[in-house]
Amino acid sequence: MKVVAIHLGAPDMPELEPVDSVAAVAGKGLEGDRHFHELGAKPGQALTLVEEEAVEDVGLPPGGTRRQVTVRGVRLNELIGKRFRVGEVECYGVELCEPCLHLEKLTRPGIIKDLAHRAGINADILTDGTISVGDSVLER
């Protein structure tokens, strides 16, 4: 149950870049990412996570689902409505992050169906800290 990849995107850039670690800011998101909300993120807009197993199953490369944090050995859907930790950062699972037409345009036809209900989750960041590749993911 650990973080295997972190991908961030700059504003107005379609490409995501892998990083080894990132600063997570409570209520705002991941520093340096296009979805960082300086004035505060709405519920579920601070962090996205996806299971590496699902990414591999549909044949996408790491970062291919456009989620920020990729984990292995964690059943993310079970974290909806629960607190959990990613490394030193406390989070709260808000909702499923279903695949969308934008993802399909960037990947391939059928990806929406292939990833329905397993494209990851949207979460809130409750405490500041650093998320790094190799960090544990633990339910609280």
Side-chain angles (χ1 to χ4, degrees), residues 17-83:
E17 295 294 325
V19 297
D20 292 329
S21 64
V22 63
V25 181
K28 295 184 178 184
L30 301 181
E31 284 187 351
D33 188 66
R34 68 196 182 288
H35 294 297
F36 184 81
H37 302 274
E38 186 64 44
L39 299 177
K42 293 179 182 174
Q45 290 187 346
L47 179 65
T48 59
L49 303 99
V50 68
E51 296 172 18
E52 183 181 47
E53 296 87 344
V55 176
E56 290 174 345
D57 186 50
V58 298
L60 290 180
T65 59
R66 310 205 43 87
R67 306 302 180 247
Q68 297 162 315
V69 175
T70 305
V71 299
R72 184 159 199 86
V74 181
R75 300 185 61 78
L76 291 172
N77 290 11
E78 294 176 6
L79 297 179
I80 300 299
K82 297 179 181 175
R83 287 179 180 244

Side-chain angles (χ1 to χ4, degrees), residues 102-121:
H102 180 66
L103 178 63
E104 189 167 78
K105 267 188 358 190
L106 294 172
T107 57
R108 62 174 169 77
I111 199 70
I112 292 174
K113 182 181 178 215
D114 292 346
L115 281 175
H117 311 310
R118 61 189 195 127
I121 66 171

